[in-house]
Amino acid sequence: MNLELNGTNVIDESERGGKASSLFWPWCGANVSLLALSYGSFFLGFGISFWQATIAAILGTVLSFLLVGVSSLAGKKSNAPTMVLTRAAFGVKGSLIPGGLSYLLFVGWEIVLVSLATLATGTVFIRLGNLDRDLAMLIGFLIAIGLTISAGVLGFSTIMKIQKFITITTLIMTGVYIALTFSKVDWSAISSMQPGTAQAFIGATIFGVTGIGLGWVNAAADYSRYLPRSTSSAAVVSWTVFGASIVPVILVTYGAALSGSSQELSEAIAIDPIGALTTILPTWFLVLFALVVILGLVGGAILDLYSSGLTLISIGLPVKRHIAASFDAFLMLLGVIYFVWIADDFFYPLQGFLITLGVPIATWSAIFVTDVLLRKGYDEDDMYRLDGRYGSWNKKSISIMAVGTFLGWGFVTNTFAGWLSWQGYLLPLIGGKEGPWAYSNVGVVIALFIGFTGHILLSGRNIRAQDKVLG
């Protein structure tokens, strides 16, 4: 396993290779977590039926990863990381805004995923009863941290190998989990569930968009930039969407079936998303279950750590990529230790903070995806020059992001922490914080819409002029 020496530079022609199908492994490995089973219960929590939850899961997952797939085209077009390519839309210095937000999001989710893997190990061994919980969590912590840091620091080649191993291993063990628990599904109870309102269905679909795929847009080009530019664009999008979507759709649907069959299980998942899944397993499978949980969560953490390192140097830290990734790993290490062994009420405030960041990231994602679709190519030298065609600050894009964020926050609710109760300040316009749209998170859709339309209207002509000069 060799150390990747590339950072935010454009990948040299001699290093580009492979096929679009190679994108299946990192994206499937990052989204194969058994935590998606618990998402099935969260979908039903909107007050919808099993079949509505299934449709919402398919729509939310595929649509969100379609944005990731389109964003991956930027990496193939210019072979640079995502947060370097966003300079074309925001300016070389203006990209510090989405870059800084993305960095916080990456590091935050690294902490959440590795912490969940650590805590899940302790939960499993409590049920086994023959190993101290702290010792079990330490084992889970060392496995999760070891895999995440080694892959994230060593870089692209190692990630592709480890993600393939994680994908295959986790898929097999997930199949065993489904086989062992399939008898728990009560199809009569599922079929008797009453459908929910249109607002509830829309809310569940938006939850799928934001909770499953949208947060990966800011990493999309990081893994397609090694592909030859002659690679089929349709293949890049298709393999990204297929690899990232196939497992979450299956697991969310199956999780909804399990939760819809047992009110007791559904309530337990709300309290302990990972631990509740062990209550319907035979004891002999618990150790393997712990391994599956660790690998599934680590798959996402690896991609977060790699992209957070690239993002950190793209916003100005003058170090090599592996040094930046090592610094992020240290922050992740401190965060996990604090969350798992010190803090009692850290998890929900952190999740609330990350969800809050999701609104401006949604606006940026829409701007970036629109920019990729409108732009024929990139001037690779000007992405690194303040006096180039992309300029220093693109005030139009920054303004669009500000408006989208303001309106988006106004139409979402965030109950994870009291200090976030200020969100939803525009909900009185559509029924209030207790009305039918209160928990639909329609603000995310508004943020996306403003990003898409705003960039087309304000920047479309300028992009065409840049492409004309580019030739």
Side-chain angles (χ1 to χ4, degrees), residues 204-450:
T205 303
I206 296 173
F207 173 77
V209 170
T210 57
I212 297 177
L214 187 61
W216 288 115
V217 174
N218 50 3
D222 299 352
Y223 306 97
S224 58
R225 65 187 181 131
Y226 276 90
L227 291 174
R229 297 188 191 183
S230 59
T231 307
S232 164
S233 294
V236 169
V237 175
S238 299
W239 279 108
T240 299
V241 175
F242 176 67
S245 299
I246 183 65
V247 176
V249 166
I250 293 172
L251 291 182
V252 171
T253 301
Y254 184 65
L258 286 174
S259 297
S261 301
S262 169
Q263 182 64 30
E264 182 180 355
L265 177 62
S266 181
E267 293 173 354
I269 287 175
I271 299 171
D272 184 0
I274 297 293
L277 298 174
T278 69
T279 60
I280 55 176
L281 283 172
T283 303
W284 66 266
F285 188 69
L286 288 178
V287 175
L288 292 176
F289 176 84
L291 178 62
V292 174
V293 169
I294 291 172
L295 291 178
L297 293 169
V298 161
I302 287 172
L303 264 61
D304 279 329
L305 180 59
Y306 178 70
S307 290
S308 69
L310 288 173
T311 299
L312 189 58
I313 53 178
S314 77
I315 61 178
L317 187 69
V319 298
K320 298 291 187 180
R321 184 207 58 80
H322 61 279
I323 300 298
S326 299
F327 173 73
D328 296 341
F330 178 70
L331 293 181
M332 177 184 67
L333 188 68
L334 293 179
V336 173
I337 291 173
Y338 178 72
F339 172 31
V340 173
W341 281 286
I342 300 174
D344 294 324
D345 57 351
F346 179 63
F347 181 66
Y348 286 111
L350 177 59
Q351 276 211 316
F353 174 65
L354 296 176
I355 291 170
T356 299
L357 289 181
V359 173
I361 288 296
T363 314
W364 167 82
S365 297
I367 293 171
F368 183 71
V369 169
T370 306
D371 196 76
V372 173
L373 291 173
L374 293 177
R375 195 177 297 278
K376 293 181 181 178
Y378 298 86
D379 186 306
E380 293 170 353
D381 292 329
D382 281 358
M383 285 192 294
Y384 300 89
R385 294 172 51 218
L386 295 176
D387 59 348
R389 75 189 62 205
Y390 305 125
S392 182
W393 298 87
N394 188 322
K395 295 178 181 178
K396 292 179 181 178
S397 295
I398 294 170
S399 298
I400 294 168
M401 190 168 174
V403 172
T405 299
F406 173 76
L407 294 178
W409 278 338
F411 287 99
V412 298
T413 52
N414 196 331
T415 59
F416 282 94
W419 60 275
L420 297 170
S421 60
W422 55 268
Q423 294 176 41
Y425 42 81
L426 297 176
L427 281 172
L429 298 175
I430 53 174
K433 291 190 177 183
E434 300 299 329
W437 292 100
Y439 299 99
S440 64
N441 286 324
V442 70
V444 175
V445 175
I446 292 173
L448 288 168
F449 177 78
I450 290 172

Side-chain angles (χ1 to χ4, degrees), residues 68-305:
V68 179
V70 172
S71 299
S72 296
L73 295 178
K76 186 206 75 161
K77 287 180 181 180
S78 183
N79 305 92
T82 310
M83 284 303 149
V84 170
L85 293 166
T86 200
R87 295 173 181 176
F90 281 81
V92 177
K93 284 191 174 180
S95 65
L96 293 173
I97 297 172
L101 292 172
S102 293
Y103 181 72
L104 292 175
L105 202 63
F106 281 135
V107 174
W109 282 114
E110 291 163 22
I111 293 171
V112 169
L113 291 172
V114 176
S115 295
L116 285 174
T118 302
L119 290 169
T121 310
T123 299
V124 167
F125 282 97
I126 281 177
R127 189 178 162 202
L128 281 174
N130 56 0
L131 186 63
D132 179 74
R133 182 175 185 270
D134 285 334
L135 177 59
M137 288 199 299
L138 180 61
I139 293 172
F141 171 76
L142 293 175
I143 294 173
I145 286 289
L147 287 172
T148 301
I149 293 179
S150 61
V153 172
L154 288 175
F156 181 80
S157 178
T158 303
I159 287 174
M160 298 299 280
K161 294 174 183 176
I162 287 184
Q163 292 293 80
K164 186 174 183 178
F165 166 76
I166 287 175
T167 300
I168 294 173
T169 303
T170 309
L171 281 176
I172 293 172
M173 291 297 99
T174 299
V176 175
Y177 180 92
I178 292 175
L180 291 173
T181 59
F182 195 75
S183 62
K184 305 294 183 180
V185 177
D186 185 342
W187 294 107
S188 61
I190 292 172
S191 60
S192 65
M193 297 177 69
Q194 296 300 308
T197 64
Q199 293 96 325
F201 174 75
I202 292 171
T205 303
I206 296 173
F207 173 77
V209 170
T210 57
I212 297 177
L214 187 61
W216 288 115
V217 174
N218 50 3
D222 299 352
Y223 306 97
S224 58
R225 65 187 181 131
Y226 276 90
L227 291 174
R229 297 188 191 183
S230 59
T231 307
S232 164
S233 294
V236 169
V237 175
S238 299
W239 279 108
T240 299
V241 175
F242 176 67
S245 299
I246 183 65
V247 176
V249 166
I250 293 172
L251 291 182
V252 171
T253 301
Y254 184 65
L258 286 174
S259 297
S261 301
S262 169
Q263 182 64 30
E264 182 180 355
L265 177 62
S266 181
E267 293 173 354
I269 287 175
I271 299 171
D272 184 0
I274 297 293
L277 298 174
T278 69
T279 60
I280 55 176
L281 283 172
T283 303
W284 66 266
F285 188 69
L286 288 178
V287 175
L288 292 176
F289 176 84
L291 178 62
V292 174
V293 169
I294 291 172
L295 291 178
L297 293 169
V298 161
I302 287 172
L303 264 61
D304 279 329
L305 180 59

Side-chain angles (χ1 to χ4, degrees), residues 39 43-44 46 48-64 198 200-210 212 248-249 252-253:
Y39 272 52
F43 273 78
L44 293 181
F46 283 86
I48 58 178
S49 69
F50 168 76
W51 298 113
Q52 284 179 313
T54 299
I55 296 171
I58 294 171
L59 287 175
T61 303
V62 173
L63 289 176
S64 61
F201 174 75
I202 292 171
T205 303
I206 296 173
F207 173 77
V209 170
T210 57
I212 297 177
V249 166
V252 171
T253 301

